[in-house]
Every structure is written in C-alpha cells, then in structure tokens.
Amino acid sequence: NAGVMQNPRHLVRRRGQEARLRCSPMKGHSHVYWYRQLPEEGLKFMVYLQKENIIDESGMPKERFSAEFPKEGPSILRIQQVVRGDSAAYFCASSAGTKETQYFGPGTRLLVL
Amino acid sequence: GEDVEQSLFLSVREGDSSVINCTYTDSSSTYLYWYKQEPGAGLQLLTYIFSNMDMKQDQRLTVLLNKKDKHLSLRIADTQTGDSAIYFCAEKVGGGGNKLTFGTGTQLKVEL
C-alpha cells in the first residue's frame, strides 16, 4: 500500500510565476489536507478537502492560493504569482475519514527566486 | 484558542532516555499526536493518544498526558543515534474540525 505521494519533490520558480503542487492520497483515503512549513517553524494548516469539496479553508491565504481535489486524479495546490515569502515546504496528508489519523507525504519544497 | 508550544532543543547521550515536552491551550482537544521529521523528509507518525487516556506505551515510546495541565510528553527509552530528528506534537480539536495544530518542533540530538 503506497503512502501519500507528492510531486514534484522540489520546485523552483521565479517571482510572478505559478506553482502547482500535486498530492495523491493513500489508497482508500478520500480526505486530503495541505499544510505549509516555513523555515524553522512548525506546520500550519492550510486547507482540508474531500473529493470535489473544500471542507475547511480557514488557513488559506485570501489571494493567489487555491486548492482542488477532483473526482479523478490528485489534489492540486496552486499558487499564482509566487513571491519570495511563498518559499516553504508544502506537505499533504490524507486520512480515511474525518476522525482518522492523518498520514503525511514527503512534501514539496518550493523555492522562489 | 489554539497554541502548541515545545522547547526547541534537546541533547541526550546514546542509551539514555529522552523526554520531549509539549503544552497546548485548547481544552477541547480530542487526539494528540507525535510526529518525527528527519532532515529533508516528511512527517512520520510515531504515536497518538486519545484525550481520555493518561498514558500509552508502544515499544520504546511512552506518551503521558496530563489533561488538567494541558501537558503532553514523549519519552524515548534507550535513545539511539537514529532517533536524532525533529519531533512535533500536534493536537486535533473537537467540534467538527479536522485540522491539526502543530507545535514548533523539538530538535533531538543524540550524542555518542
């Protein structure tokens, strides 16, 4: 049973470009979460999705950030017009249900030049 | 409100026990977790405890929960060099939400 998969593992973007981060949950999991880890900090919750629905986006910045989890395919975290402050590790987690344990992927490390 | 705090560093000798502490503020926490992060890697779930439990033991790991003081600890017996990593505690708050609130992490260094 493969774990949570994220790609790319490393992503370099110039200021103003778009970044797309992908997350494939564990098999049988339909709940996906995105967290951001700034350098030297803990993880901060961004958004919680189930298939085709955003359940909680209380941690998402109001502008430039969006997330989706379509019926088919991976969950996508999209950052438009990236700025240097977006440089961070972005982790995806998945769970089998609302009360179930979250399992984390290896993360995507985004560097904005 | 939600706030989880940990001390930043802990250094122990190989073979000794390590105790990593965590305090939280939200009394409606339902589950509390310990995750391990090695350099450049993702988070590995180590163990978790339900909020109505006081203690949970899993091989070399012992979790103690003092709900009155909102204090959680992780004890690693016979600490090995492979235990060197950053350890995060995290709480899941009740009330229908499913997000985890993480502490800032404790960097454990195991010396020979």
Side-chain angles (χ1 to χ4, degrees), chain A residues 33 35 37 42-43 45 48 58 91 98-102 104-106 109, chain B residues 31 33 35 37 40-43 45 48 88 92 96 98-100 102-104:
Chain A
Y33 315 80
Y35 293 82
Q37 184 180 31
L43 280 72
F45 169 80
Y48 164 33
S58 59
F91 290 97
T98 301
K99 295 183 179 180
E100 301 299 319
T101 299
Q102 296 177 28
F104 283 78
R109 281 150 181 86
Chain B
Y31 289 90
Y33 301 83
Y35 286 88
Q37 185 181 34
L43 273 72
L45 176 67
Y48 64 92
F88 291 97
K92 181 185 288 186
N98 206 32
K99 64 182 181 182
L100 296 179
F102 283 84
T104 49

PDB file of all heavy atoms in Angstrom, chain A residues 33 35 37 42-43 45 48 58 91 98-102 104-106 109, chain B residues 31 33 35 37 40-43 45 48 88 92 96 98-100 102-104:
ATOM      1  N   TYR A  33      -5.424  16.968   3.165  1.00  0.00           N
ATOM      2  CA  TYR A  33      -5.100  18.184   3.911  1.00  0.00           C
ATOM      3  C   TYR A  33      -3.784  18.746   3.367  1.00  0.00           C
ATOM      4  O   TYR A  33      -2.879  17.987   3.052  1.00  0.00           O
ATOM      5  CB  TYR A  33      -4.906  17.877   5.400  1.00  0.00           C
ATOM      6  CG  TYR A  33      -5.960  16.960   5.981  1.00  0.00           C
ATOM      7  CD1 TYR A  33      -5.884  15.587   5.795  1.00  0.00           C
ATOM      8  CD2 TYR A  33      -7.032  17.471   6.704  1.00  0.00           C
ATOM      9  CE1 TYR A  33      -6.847  14.734   6.301  1.00  0.00           C
ATOM     10  CE2 TYR A  33      -7.999  16.627   7.222  1.00  0.00           C
ATOM     11  CZ  TYR A  33      -7.899  15.258   7.016  1.00  0.00           C
ATOM     12  OH  TYR A  33      -8.855  14.419   7.517  1.00  0.00           O
ATOM     13  N   TYR A  35      -0.655  21.443   4.364  1.00  0.00           N
ATOM     14  CA  TYR A  35       0.000  22.212   5.416  1.00  0.00           C
ATOM     15  C   TYR A  35       1.232  22.886   4.820  1.00  0.00           C
ATOM     16  O   TYR A  35       1.852  22.366   3.896  1.00  0.00           O
ATOM     17  CB  TYR A  35       0.455  21.300   6.564  1.00  0.00           C
ATOM     18  CG  TYR A  35      -0.649  20.648   7.358  1.00  0.00           C
ATOM     19  CD1 TYR A  35      -1.277  19.498   6.899  1.00  0.00           C
ATOM     20  CD2 TYR A  35      -1.065  21.188   8.570  1.00  0.00           C
ATOM     21  CE1 TYR A  35      -2.287  18.890   7.619  1.00  0.00           C
ATOM     22  CE2 TYR A  35      -2.075  20.590   9.314  1.00  0.00           C
ATOM     23  CZ  TYR A  35      -2.678  19.437   8.829  1.00  0.00           C
ATOM     24  OH  TYR A  35      -3.679  18.841   9.558  1.00  0.00           O
ATOM     25  N   GLN A  37       5.042  24.560   5.837  1.00  0.00           N
ATOM     26  CA  GLN A  37       6.081  24.673   6.858  1.00  0.00           C
ATOM     27  C   GLN A  37       7.095  25.706   6.397  1.00  0.00           C
ATOM     28  O   GLN A  37       7.874  25.454   5.477  1.00  0.00           O
ATOM     29  CB  GLN A  37       6.769  23.330   7.101  1.00  0.00           C
ATOM     30  CG  GLN A  37       7.804  23.373   8.220  1.00  0.00           C
ATOM     31  CD  GLN A  37       8.481  22.027   8.448  1.00  0.00           C
ATOM     32  OE1 GLN A  37       8.658  21.237   7.531  1.00  0.00           O
ATOM     33  NE2 GLN A  37       8.865  21.758   9.687  1.00  0.00           N
ATOM     34  N   GLY A  42       6.969  25.192  12.696  1.00  0.00           N
ATOM     35  CA  GLY A  42       6.117  24.016  12.606  1.00  0.00           C
ATOM     36  C   GLY A  42       5.183  24.112  11.417  1.00  0.00           C
ATOM     37  O   GLY A  42       5.197  25.079  10.659  1.00  0.00           O
ATOM     38  N   LEU A  43       4.382  23.096  11.247  1.00  0.00           N
ATOM     39  CA  LEU A  43       3.435  23.071  10.133  1.00  0.00           C
ATOM     40  C   LEU A  43       2.186  23.872  10.470  1.00  0.00           C
ATOM     41  O   LEU A  43       1.665  23.790  11.585  1.00  0.00           O
ATOM     42  CB  LEU A  43       3.028  21.633   9.810  1.00  0.00           C
ATOM     43  CG  LEU A  43       3.992  20.818   8.973  1.00  0.00           C
ATOM     44  CD1 LEU A  43       5.228  20.436   9.745  1.00  0.00           C
ATOM     45  CD2 LEU A  43       3.292  19.567   8.428  1.00  0.00           C
ATOM     46  N   PHE A  45      -1.746  24.581   9.188  1.00  0.00           N
ATOM     47  CA  PHE A  45      -2.846  24.075   8.371  1.00  0.00           C
ATOM     48  C   PHE A  45      -3.249  25.105   7.317  1.00  0.00           C
ATOM     49  O   PHE A  45      -3.315  26.310   7.588  1.00  0.00           O
ATOM     50  CB  PHE A  45      -4.039  23.770   9.274  1.00  0.00           C
ATOM     51  CG  PHE A  45      -5.321  23.495   8.544  1.00  0.00           C
ATOM     52  CD1 PHE A  45      -5.568  22.257   7.979  1.00  0.00           C
ATOM     53  CD2 PHE A  45      -6.277  24.493   8.412  1.00  0.00           C
ATOM     54  CE1 PHE A  45      -6.754  22.005   7.305  1.00  0.00           C
ATOM     55  CE2 PHE A  45      -7.465  24.256   7.740  1.00  0.00           C
ATOM     56  CZ  PHE A  45      -7.702  23.005   7.181  1.00  0.00           C
ATOM     57  N   TYR A  48      -8.522  21.754   3.927  1.00  0.00           N
ATOM     58  CA  TYR A  48      -8.980  20.367   4.080  1.00  0.00           C
ATOM     59  C   TYR A  48     -10.021  20.122   2.989  1.00  0.00           C
ATOM     60  O   TYR A  48     -10.998  20.870   2.864  1.00  0.00           O
ATOM     61  CB  TYR A  48      -9.552  20.195   5.476  1.00  0.00           C
ATOM     62  CG  TYR A  48     -10.413  18.973   5.740  1.00  0.00           C
ATOM     63  CD1 TYR A  48     -10.183  17.762   5.104  1.00  0.00           C
ATOM     64  CD2 TYR A  48     -11.436  19.042   6.675  1.00  0.00           C
ATOM     65  CE1 TYR A  48     -10.975  16.655   5.382  1.00  0.00           C
ATOM     66  CE2 TYR A  48     -12.233  17.945   6.963  1.00  0.00           C
ATOM     67  CZ  TYR A  48     -12.004  16.762   6.314  1.00  0.00           C
ATOM     68  OH  TYR A  48     -12.793  15.659   6.589  1.00  0.00           O
ATOM     69  N   SER A  58      -9.776  27.587   6.181  1.00  0.00           N
ATOM     70  CA  SER A  58      -9.512  28.682   7.116  1.00  0.00           C
ATOM     71  C   SER A  58      -8.043  29.089   7.174  1.00  0.00           C
ATOM     72  O   SER A  58      -7.720  30.182   7.605  1.00  0.00           O
ATOM     73  CB  SER A  58     -10.002  28.314   8.521  1.00  0.00           C
ATOM     74  OG  SER A  58      -9.358  27.135   8.974  1.00  0.00           O
ATOM     75  N   PHE A  91       3.292  20.317   2.681  1.00  0.00           N
ATOM     76  CA  PHE A  91       3.013  18.913   2.957  1.00  0.00           C
ATOM     77  C   PHE A  91       1.537  18.620   2.746  1.00  0.00           C
ATOM     78  O   PHE A  91       0.661  19.397   3.118  1.00  0.00           O
ATOM     79  CB  PHE A  91       3.390  18.563   4.398  1.00  0.00           C
ATOM     80  CG  PHE A  91       4.864  18.552   4.639  1.00  0.00           C
ATOM     81  CD1 PHE A  91       5.498  19.665   5.177  1.00  0.00           C
ATOM     82  CD2 PHE A  91       5.624  17.435   4.339  1.00  0.00           C
ATOM     83  CE1 PHE A  91       6.867  19.664   5.400  1.00  0.00           C
ATOM     84  CE2 PHE A  91       6.994  17.423   4.560  1.00  0.00           C
ATOM     85  CZ  PHE A  91       7.614  18.545   5.089  1.00  0.00           C
ATOM     86  N   THR A  98     -13.003  11.471   8.690  1.00  0.00           N
ATOM     87  CA  THR A  98     -12.849  12.715   9.453  1.00  0.00           C
ATOM     88  C   THR A  98     -12.122  12.487  10.757  1.00  0.00           C
ATOM     89  O   THR A  98     -11.311  13.304  11.180  1.00  0.00           O
ATOM     90  CB  THR A  98     -14.235  13.314   9.744  1.00  0.00           C
ATOM     91  OG1 THR A  98     -14.897  13.552   8.512  1.00  0.00           O
ATOM     92  CG2 THR A  98     -14.107  14.619  10.497  1.00  0.00           C
ATOM     93  N   LYS A  99     -12.373  11.389  11.416  1.00  0.00           N
ATOM     94  CA  LYS A  99     -11.771  11.158  12.729  1.00  0.00           C
ATOM     95  C   LYS A  99     -10.532  10.279  12.658  1.00  0.00           C
ATOM     96  O   LYS A  99      -9.963   9.908  13.673  1.00  0.00           O
ATOM     97  CB  LYS A  99     -12.799  10.520  13.664  1.00  0.00           C
ATOM     98  CG  LYS A  99     -13.983  11.426  13.966  1.00  0.00           C
ATOM     99  CD  LYS A  99     -14.939  10.792  14.952  1.00  0.00           C
ATOM    100  CE  LYS A  99     -16.096  11.736  15.250  1.00  0.00           C
ATOM    101  NZ  LYS A  99     -17.055  11.151  16.208  1.00  0.00           N
ATOM    102  N   GLU A 100     -10.119   9.971  11.454  1.00  0.00           N
ATOM    103  CA  GLU A 100      -8.998   9.049  11.290  1.00  0.00           C
ATOM    104  C   GLU A 100      -7.665   9.783  11.278  1.00  0.00           C
ATOM    105  O   GLU A 100      -7.577  10.978  10.976  1.00  0.00           O
ATOM    106  CB  GLU A 100      -9.154   8.251   9.990  1.00  0.00           C
ATOM    107  CG  GLU A 100     -10.443   7.441   9.915  1.00  0.00           C
ATOM    108  CD  GLU A 100     -10.528   6.411  11.014  1.00  0.00           C
ATOM    109  OE1 GLU A 100      -9.487   5.771  11.298  1.00  0.00           O
ATOM    110  OE2 GLU A 100     -11.611   6.237  11.588  1.00  0.00           O
ATOM    111  N   THR A 101      -6.619   9.038  11.560  1.00  0.00           N
ATOM    112  CA  THR A 101      -5.266   9.595  11.600  1.00  0.00           C
ATOM    113  C   THR A 101      -4.834  10.099  10.234  1.00  0.00           C
ATOM    114  O   THR A 101      -5.156   9.509   9.209  1.00  0.00           O
ATOM    115  CB  THR A 101      -4.300   8.501  12.083  1.00  0.00           C
ATOM    116  OG1 THR A 101      -4.701   8.094  13.390  1.00  0.00           O
ATOM    117  CG2 THR A 101      -2.866   9.005  12.132  1.00  0.00           C
ATOM    118  N   GLN A 102      -4.099  11.217  10.244  1.00  0.00           N
ATOM    119  CA  GLN A 102      -3.575  11.788   9.015  1.00  0.00           C
ATOM    120  C   GLN A 102      -2.155  11.255   8.777  1.00  0.00           C
ATOM    121  O   GLN A 102      -1.310  11.299   9.672  1.00  0.00           O
ATOM    122  CB  GLN A 102      -3.543  13.313   9.102  1.00  0.00           C
ATOM    123  CG  GLN A 102      -4.940  13.917   9.219  1.00  0.00           C
ATOM    124  CD  GLN A 102      -4.928  15.416   9.381  1.00  0.00           C
ATOM    125  OE1 GLN A 102      -4.008  16.097   8.924  1.00  0.00           O
ATOM    126  NE2 GLN A 102      -5.954  15.941  10.019  1.00  0.00           N
ATOM    127  N   PHE A 104       1.238  11.655   6.330  1.00  0.00           N
ATOM    128  CA  PHE A 104       1.844  12.726   5.555  1.00  0.00           C
ATOM    129  C   PHE A 104       2.685  12.211   4.391  1.00  0.00           C
ATOM    130  O   PHE A 104       3.336  11.158   4.484  1.00  0.00           O
ATOM    131  CB  PHE A 104       2.717  13.607   6.457  1.00  0.00           C
ATOM    132  CG  PHE A 104       1.917  14.553   7.293  1.00  0.00           C
ATOM    133  CD1 PHE A 104       1.261  14.120   8.423  1.00  0.00           C
ATOM    134  CD2 PHE A 104       1.809  15.886   6.920  1.00  0.00           C
ATOM    135  CE1 PHE A 104       0.502  15.003   9.191  1.00  0.00           C
ATOM    136  CE2 PHE A 104       1.058  16.780   7.683  1.00  0.00           C
ATOM    137  CZ  PHE A 104       0.400  16.331   8.816  1.00  0.00           C
ATOM    138  N   GLY A 105       2.706  13.018   3.344  1.00  0.00           N
ATOM    139  CA  GLY A 105       3.599  12.775   2.231  1.00  0.00           C
ATOM    140  C   GLY A 105       4.973  13.373   2.507  1.00  0.00           C
ATOM    141  O   GLY A 105       5.182  14.008   3.540  1.00  0.00           O
ATOM    142  N   PRO A 106       5.917  13.190   1.561  1.00  0.00           N
ATOM    143  CA  PRO A 106       7.293  13.664   1.763  1.00  0.00           C
ATOM    144  C   PRO A 106       7.451  15.168   1.592  1.00  0.00           C
ATOM    145  O   PRO A 106       8.500  15.709   1.928  1.00  0.00           O
ATOM    146  CB  PRO A 106       8.072  12.914   0.690  1.00  0.00           C
ATOM    147  CG  PRO A 106       7.076  12.661  -0.386  1.00  0.00           C
ATOM    148  CD  PRO A 106       5.765  12.445   0.304  1.00  0.00           C
ATOM    149  N   ARG A 109       9.216  20.991  -1.689  1.00  0.00           N
ATOM    150  CA  ARG A 109       9.962  22.165  -1.235  1.00  0.00           C
ATOM    151  C   ARG A 109      10.003  23.179  -2.361  1.00  0.00           C
ATOM    152  O   ARG A 109      10.611  22.939  -3.400  1.00  0.00           O
ATOM    153  CB  ARG A 109      11.343  21.752  -0.755  1.00  0.00           C
ATOM    154  CG  ARG A 109      11.255  21.163   0.654  1.00  0.00           C
ATOM    155  CD  ARG A 109      12.287  20.117   0.966  1.00  0.00           C
ATOM    156  NE  ARG A 109      12.102  19.617   2.327  1.00  0.00           N
ATOM    157  CZ  ARG A 109      11.267  18.627   2.672  1.00  0.00           C
ATOM    158  NH1 ARG A 109      10.555  18.012   1.737  1.00  0.00           N
ATOM    159  NH2 ARG A 109      11.143  18.253   3.925  1.00  0.00           N
TER     160      ARG A 109
ATOM    161  N   TYR B  31      -7.591  14.326  20.111  1.00  0.00           N
ATOM    162  CA  TYR B  31      -6.439  13.456  19.936  1.00  0.00           C
ATOM    163  C   TYR B  31      -5.174  14.310  19.973  1.00  0.00           C
ATOM    164  O   TYR B  31      -5.176  15.454  19.522  1.00  0.00           O
ATOM    165  CB  TYR B  31      -6.478  12.737  18.580  1.00  0.00           C
ATOM    166  CG  TYR B  31      -7.532  11.664  18.481  1.00  0.00           C
ATOM    167  CD1 TYR B  31      -8.807  11.956  18.031  1.00  0.00           C
ATOM    168  CD2 TYR B  31      -7.219  10.348  18.817  1.00  0.00           C
ATOM    169  CE1 TYR B  31      -9.766  10.967  17.937  1.00  0.00           C
ATOM    170  CE2 TYR B  31      -8.174   9.346  18.713  1.00  0.00           C
ATOM    171  CZ  TYR B  31      -9.439   9.662  18.277  1.00  0.00           C
ATOM    172  OH  TYR B  31     -10.392   8.692  18.172  1.00  0.00           O
ATOM    173  N   TYR B  33      -0.938  13.974  19.007  1.00  0.00           N
ATOM    174  CA  TYR B  33      -0.054  13.160  18.180  1.00  0.00           C
ATOM    175  C   TYR B  33       1.406  13.539  18.381  1.00  0.00           C
ATOM    176  O   TYR B  33       1.731  14.684  18.723  1.00  0.00           O
ATOM    177  CB  TYR B  33      -0.384  13.385  16.691  1.00  0.00           C
ATOM    178  CG  TYR B  33      -1.796  13.053  16.291  1.00  0.00           C
ATOM    179  CD1 TYR B  33      -2.839  13.963  16.485  1.00  0.00           C
ATOM    180  CD2 TYR B  33      -2.089  11.831  15.706  1.00  0.00           C
ATOM    181  CE1 TYR B  33      -4.135  13.649  16.110  1.00  0.00           C
ATOM    182  CE2 TYR B  33      -3.385  11.510  15.323  1.00  0.00           C
ATOM    183  CZ  TYR B  33      -4.397  12.428  15.530  1.00  0.00           C
ATOM    184  OH  TYR B  33      -5.681  12.115  15.150  1.00  0.00           O
ATOM    185  N   TYR B  35       4.793  13.326  15.895  1.00  0.00           N
ATOM    186  CA  TYR B  35       5.361  13.037  14.589  1.00  0.00           C
ATOM    187  C   TYR B  35       6.872  13.265  14.641  1.00  0.00           C
ATOM    188  O   TYR B  35       7.360  14.115  15.376  1.00  0.00           O
ATOM    189  CB  TYR B  35       4.775  13.964  13.514  1.00  0.00           C
ATOM    190  CG  TYR B  35       3.356  13.660  13.090  1.00  0.00           C
ATOM    191  CD1 TYR B  35       2.275  14.219  13.767  1.00  0.00           C
ATOM    192  CD2 TYR B  35       3.094  12.839  11.996  1.00  0.00           C
ATOM    193  CE1 TYR B  35       0.970  13.959  13.361  1.00  0.00           C
ATOM    194  CE2 TYR B  35       1.796  12.571  11.582  1.00  0.00           C
ATOM    195  CZ  TYR B  35       0.743  13.144  12.271  1.00  0.00           C
ATOM    196  OH  TYR B  35      -0.543  12.880  11.859  1.00  0.00           O
ATOM    197  N   GLN B  37      10.281  14.092  12.195  1.00  0.00           N
ATOM    198  CA  GLN B  37      10.712  14.585  10.889  1.00  0.00           C
ATOM    199  C   GLN B  37      12.228  14.543  10.807  1.00  0.00           C
ATOM    200  O   GLN B  37      12.923  15.230  11.567  1.00  0.00           O
ATOM    201  CB  GLN B  37      10.213  16.019  10.638  1.00  0.00           C
ATOM    202  CG  GLN B  37      10.551  16.520   9.243  1.00  0.00           C
ATOM    203  CD  GLN B  37      10.086  17.946   8.992  1.00  0.00           C
ATOM    204  OE1 GLN B  37      10.082  18.774   9.898  1.00  0.00           O
ATOM    205  NE2 GLN B  37       9.661  18.228   7.770  1.00  0.00           N
ATOM    206  N   GLY B  40      15.004  16.974   5.573  1.00  0.00           N
ATOM    207  CA  GLY B  40      14.569  16.885   4.183  1.00  0.00           C
ATOM    208  C   GLY B  40      13.459  15.901   3.928  1.00  0.00           C
ATOM    209  O   GLY B  40      13.102  15.650   2.768  1.00  0.00           O
ATOM    210  N   ALA B  41      12.856  15.363   4.969  1.00  0.00           N
ATOM    211  CA  ALA B  41      11.835  14.329   4.795  1.00  0.00           C
ATOM    212  C   ALA B  41      10.473  14.820   5.272  1.00  0.00           C
ATOM    213  O   ALA B  41      10.336  15.920   5.809  1.00  0.00           O
ATOM    214  CB  ALA B  41      12.237  13.075   5.566  1.00  0.00           C
ATOM    215  N   GLY B  42       9.474  13.996   5.054  1.00  0.00           N
ATOM    216  CA  GLY B  42       8.134  14.301   5.527  1.00  0.00           C
ATOM    217  C   GLY B  42       7.971  13.926   6.983  1.00  0.00           C
ATOM    218  O   GLY B  42       8.945  13.628   7.680  1.00  0.00           O
ATOM    219  N   LEU B  43       6.743  13.941   7.452  1.00  0.00           N
ATOM    220  CA  LEU B  43       6.459  13.630   8.848  1.00  0.00           C
ATOM    221  C   LEU B  43       6.039  12.177   8.978  1.00  0.00           C
ATOM    222  O   LEU B  43       5.156  11.701   8.268  1.00  0.00           O
ATOM    223  CB  LEU B  43       5.340  14.530   9.383  1.00  0.00           C
ATOM    224  CG  LEU B  43       5.794  15.859   9.944  1.00  0.00           C
ATOM    225  CD1 LEU B  43       6.229  16.775   8.829  1.00  0.00           C
ATOM    226  CD2 LEU B  43       4.688  16.503  10.745  1.00  0.00           C
ATOM    227  N   LEU B  45       4.353   9.482  11.444  1.00  0.00           N
ATOM    228  CA  LEU B  45       3.544   9.336  12.644  1.00  0.00           C
ATOM    229  C   LEU B  45       4.204   8.341  13.580  1.00  0.00           C
ATOM    230  O   LEU B  45       4.486   7.205  13.208  1.00  0.00           O
ATOM    231  CB  LEU B  45       2.136   8.862  12.293  1.00  0.00           C
ATOM    232  CG  LEU B  45       1.224   8.573  13.483  1.00  0.00           C
ATOM    233  CD1 LEU B  45       0.896   9.855  14.228  1.00  0.00           C
ATOM    234  CD2 LEU B  45      -0.054   7.886  13.021  1.00  0.00           C
ATOM    235  N   TYR B  48      -0.023   8.241  18.940  1.00  0.00           N
ATOM    236  CA  TYR B  48      -1.034   9.232  19.299  1.00  0.00           C
ATOM    237  C   TYR B  48      -1.762   8.739  20.535  1.00  0.00           C
ATOM    238  O   TYR B  48      -1.696   7.563  20.897  1.00  0.00           O
ATOM    239  CB  TYR B  48      -1.996   9.482  18.144  1.00  0.00           C
ATOM    240  CG  TYR B  48      -2.832   8.288  17.758  1.00  0.00           C
ATOM    241  CD1 TYR B  48      -4.094   8.082  18.312  1.00  0.00           C
ATOM    242  CD2 TYR B  48      -2.369   7.374  16.814  1.00  0.00           C
ATOM    243  CE1 TYR B  48      -4.854   6.991  17.961  1.00  0.00           C
ATOM    244  CE2 TYR B  48      -3.125   6.279  16.465  1.00  0.00           C
ATOM    245  CZ  TYR B  48      -4.370   6.097  17.023  1.00  0.00           C
ATOM    246  OH  TYR B  48      -5.123   5.006  16.661  1.00  0.00           O
ATOM    247  N   PHE B  88       7.538  16.697  16.492  1.00  0.00           N
ATOM    248  CA  PHE B  88       6.419  17.630  16.570  1.00  0.00           C
ATOM    249  C   PHE B  88       5.269  17.005  17.342  1.00  0.00           C
ATOM    250  O   PHE B  88       4.892  15.856  17.085  1.00  0.00           O
ATOM    251  CB  PHE B  88       5.896  17.972  15.168  1.00  0.00           C
ATOM    252  CG  PHE B  88       6.829  18.796  14.346  1.00  0.00           C
ATOM    253  CD1 PHE B  88       7.671  18.207  13.409  1.00  0.00           C
ATOM    254  CD2 PHE B  88       6.864  20.176  14.482  1.00  0.00           C
ATOM    255  CE1 PHE B  88       8.534  18.966  12.633  1.00  0.00           C
ATOM    256  CE2 PHE B  88       7.717  20.955  13.711  1.00  0.00           C
ATOM    257  CZ  PHE B  88       8.555  20.343  12.791  1.00  0.00           C
ATOM    258  N   LYS B  92      -5.540  17.663  17.690  1.00  0.00           N
ATOM    259  CA  LYS B  92      -6.746  17.756  16.881  1.00  0.00           C
ATOM    260  C   LYS B  92      -7.839  18.237  17.812  1.00  0.00           C
ATOM    261  O   LYS B  92      -8.068  17.658  18.875  1.00  0.00           O
ATOM    262  CB  LYS B  92      -7.130  16.418  16.273  1.00  0.00           C
ATOM    263  CG  LYS B  92      -8.384  16.501  15.407  1.00  0.00           C
ATOM    264  CD  LYS B  92      -8.821  15.152  14.898  1.00  0.00           C
ATOM    265  CE  LYS B  92      -7.868  14.654  13.838  1.00  0.00           C
ATOM    266  NZ  LYS B  92      -8.371  13.391  13.217  1.00  0.00           N
ATOM    267  N   GLY B  96     -15.955  19.237  15.285  1.00  0.00           N
ATOM    268  CA  GLY B  96     -16.196  19.031  13.851  1.00  0.00           C
ATOM    269  C   GLY B  96     -15.020  19.363  12.974  1.00  0.00           C
ATOM    270  O   GLY B  96     -14.965  18.974  11.813  1.00  0.00           O
ATOM    271  N   ASN B  98     -11.151  19.150  11.583  1.00  0.00           N
ATOM    272  CA  ASN B  98     -10.264  18.020  11.431  1.00  0.00           C
ATOM    273  C   ASN B  98      -8.816  18.432  11.245  1.00  0.00           C
ATOM    274  O   ASN B  98      -7.973  17.595  10.975  1.00  0.00           O
ATOM    275  CB  ASN B  98     -10.719  17.170  10.235  1.00  0.00           C
ATOM    276  CG  ASN B  98     -10.303  15.731  10.375  1.00  0.00           C
ATOM    277  OD1 ASN B  98     -10.224  15.211  11.472  1.00  0.00           O
ATOM    278  ND2 ASN B  98     -10.022  15.102   9.261  1.00  0.00           N
ATOM    279  N   LYS B  99      -8.519  19.704  11.400  1.00  0.00           N
ATOM    280  CA  LYS B  99      -7.159  20.142  11.176  1.00  0.00           C
ATOM    281  C   LYS B  99      -6.312  19.848  12.402  1.00  0.00           C
ATOM    282  O   LYS B  99      -6.799  19.746  13.530  1.00  0.00           O
ATOM    283  CB  LYS B  99      -7.117  21.639  10.867  1.00  0.00           C
ATOM    284  CG  LYS B  99      -7.588  22.518  12.007  1.00  0.00           C
ATOM    285  CD  LYS B  99      -7.569  23.981  11.592  1.00  0.00           C
ATOM    286  CE  LYS B  99      -8.009  24.874  12.724  1.00  0.00           C
ATOM    287  NZ  LYS B  99      -8.032  26.306  12.328  1.00  0.00           N
ATOM    288  N   LEU B 100      -5.009  19.687  12.150  1.00  0.00           N
ATOM    289  CA  LEU B 100      -4.046  19.507  13.224  1.00  0.00           C
ATOM    290  C   LEU B 100      -3.334  20.834  13.475  1.00  0.00           C
ATOM    291  O   LEU B 100      -2.995  21.559  12.537  1.00  0.00           O
ATOM    292  CB  LEU B 100      -3.007  18.454  12.837  1.00  0.00           C
ATOM    293  CG  LEU B 100      -3.518  17.030  12.628  1.00  0.00           C
ATOM    294  CD1 LEU B 100      -2.373  16.107  12.214  1.00  0.00           C
ATOM    295  CD2 LEU B 100      -4.204  16.509  13.869  1.00  0.00           C
ATOM    296  N   PHE B 102       0.082  22.204  15.053  1.00  0.00           N
ATOM    297  CA  PHE B 102       1.399  21.686  15.392  1.00  0.00           C
ATOM    298  C   PHE B 102       2.165  22.628  16.307  1.00  0.00           C
ATOM    299  O   PHE B 102       2.019  23.854  16.232  1.00  0.00           O
ATOM    300  CB  PHE B 102       2.229  21.489  14.121  1.00  0.00           C
ATOM    301  CG  PHE B 102       1.861  20.266  13.340  1.00  0.00           C
ATOM    302  CD1 PHE B 102       0.806  20.284  12.444  1.00  0.00           C
ATOM    303  CD2 PHE B 102       2.582  19.096  13.498  1.00  0.00           C
ATOM    304  CE1 PHE B 102       0.465  19.143  11.731  1.00  0.00           C
ATOM    305  CE2 PHE B 102       2.259  17.951  12.779  1.00  0.00           C
ATOM    306  CZ  PHE B 102       1.194  17.979  11.896  1.00  0.00           C
ATOM    307  N   GLY B 103       3.009  22.028  17.131  1.00  0.00           N
ATOM    308  CA  GLY B 103       3.997  22.797  17.850  1.00  0.00           C
ATOM    309  C   GLY B 103       5.139  23.167  16.921  1.00  0.00           C
ATOM    310  O   GLY B 103       5.177  22.757  15.747  1.00  0.00           O
ATOM    311  N   THR B 104       6.086  23.925  17.441  1.00  0.00           N
ATOM    312  CA  THR B 104       7.200  24.404  16.623  1.00  0.00           C
ATOM    313  C   THR B 104       8.271  23.343  16.421  1.00  0.00           C
ATOM    314  O   THR B 104       9.179  23.525  15.630  1.00  0.00           O
ATOM    315  CB  THR B 104       7.845  25.643  17.253  1.00  0.00           C
ATOM    316  OG1 THR B 104       8.096  25.356  18.627  1.00  0.00           O
ATOM    317  CG2 THR B 104       6.927  26.845  17.150  1.00  0.00           C
TER     318      THR B 104
END
